[in-house]
Amino acid sequence: MSVFNTSPLVIEPATTANACLIWLHGLGADRFDFEPLLRSLQLPTTIALRCVLPQAPERAVTINGGWVMPAWYDIVSVSPEREVAQADVAECAVYIQQLIDEQIASGIAPSRIVLAGFSQGGALALHCAYRTLQQPLAGVIGLSTYLLNSGEPANATNLAQTPLLYLHGQRDDVVPFSLGQHACAALSKLGVSLTAYQHAGYHEVPASCLGLIQTWLNERLP
């Protein structure tokens, strides 16, 4: 039985969708967390963007005293890199592939699908985009996040063909800015076409980043 028993929040465009943004929330949040930001996106009328906001299942999270909360995967320790439950990550990767397959079946090509995520959701987005997805996408957006340690090999095709927009706050007190720097350096070394910005904020996506996201989506989804 699947642990993903809550349907994603779907924001449909005014006209028939010809592109899709799948956005993964952070630890302890929910699918409504970034709804206001995504509803405020202003894109050209040629980009009819469907936004899909999945809901993480309820899991006990070790680093939070075993409390049950929305979590893509259990985090066992931070030192400073995250030790995570790989079985949870693998389960989520299958689910993300299913969400993408649904969009493809609806008529949206992988080259017009973007996968994004904040914090824990961002780590999962990067993992899926560059390790587990069966096809390269239009791009991936990582926000205030980090790379998961995984034994799975990177997908050379996806590394070469899926560009990354990365945003992180210099004063992030949840996911240190240094982890974001490490992620960007490692992915760049693997050949990912990467655009990285840093803002002066904390563990957040400030309004100042909205324009950067809009511009990047406009470039990726002409």
Side-chain angles (χ1 to χ4, degrees):
M1 183 176 179
S2 174
V3 296
F4 301 98
N5 49 26
T6 301
S7 297
L9 170 65
V10 179
I11 304 172
E12 291 286 2
T15 57
T16 302
N18 62 20
C20 181
L21 171 61
I22 299 173
W23 190 293
L24 310 179
H25 64 74
L27 176 65
D30 61 30
R31 63 196 185 283
F32 300 103
D33 196 27
F34 286 97
E35 180 185 3
L37 183 145
L38 297 182
R39 288 193 182 278
S40 66
L41 285 173
Q42 297 182 10
L43 298 171
T45 55
T46 54
I47 303 176
L49 186 68
R50 173 185 293 138
C51 296
V52 177
L53 295 85
Q55 175 67 52
E58 298 282 324
R59 302 185 193 273
V61 178
T62 302
I63 62 165
N64 287 345
W67 286 10
V68 175
M69 62 188 65
W72 297 107
Y73 48 82
D74 183 23
I75 302 176
V76 180
S77 68
V78 290
S79 57
E81 293 187 358
R82 273 63 175 160
E83 180 185 348
V84 306
Q86 296 295 338
D88 294 348
V89 173
E91 184 178 49
C92 286
V94 172
Y95 177 60
I96 299 305
Q97 182 68 63
Q98 290 174 349
L99 292 177
I100 290 171
D101 289 345
E102 289 172 3
Q103 295 306 311
I104 295 172
S106 77
I108 299 177
S111 60
R112 294 189 63 79
I113 298 174
V114 172
L115 180 61
F118 174 77
S119 195
Q120 190 189 61
L124 181 61
L126 295 179
H127 173 79
C128 292
Y130 297 122
R131 293 186 183 276
T132 68
L133 289 185
Q134 298 170 6
Q135 59 281 105
L137 302 179
V140 59
I141 303 174
L143 305 115
S144 305
T145 192
Y146 52 92
L147 282 182
L148 290 174
N149 290 322
S150 170
E152 291 189 65
N155 183 312
T157 300
N158 290 5
L159 288 168
Q161 297 184 25
T162 305
L164 168 65
L165 172 64
Y166 190 87
L167 306 170
H168 206 139
Q170 295 173 311
R171 294 183 284 180
D172 194 325
D173 53 353
V174 177
V175 177
F177 181 65
S178 60
L179 288 185
Q181 291 179 304
H182 168 74
C184 288
L187 291 172
S188 181
K189 187 175 181 179
L190 288 172
V192 173
S193 175
L194 187 150
T195 303
Y197 294 97
Q198 59 191 48
H199 57 81
Y202 295 88
H203 194 61
E204 58 185 331
V205 183
S208 61
C209 290
L210 182 61
L212 298 172
I213 294 171
Q214 290 175 168
T215 298
W216 189 82
L217 286 173
N218 194 24
E219 292 171 351
R220 300 313 314 158
L221 303 169

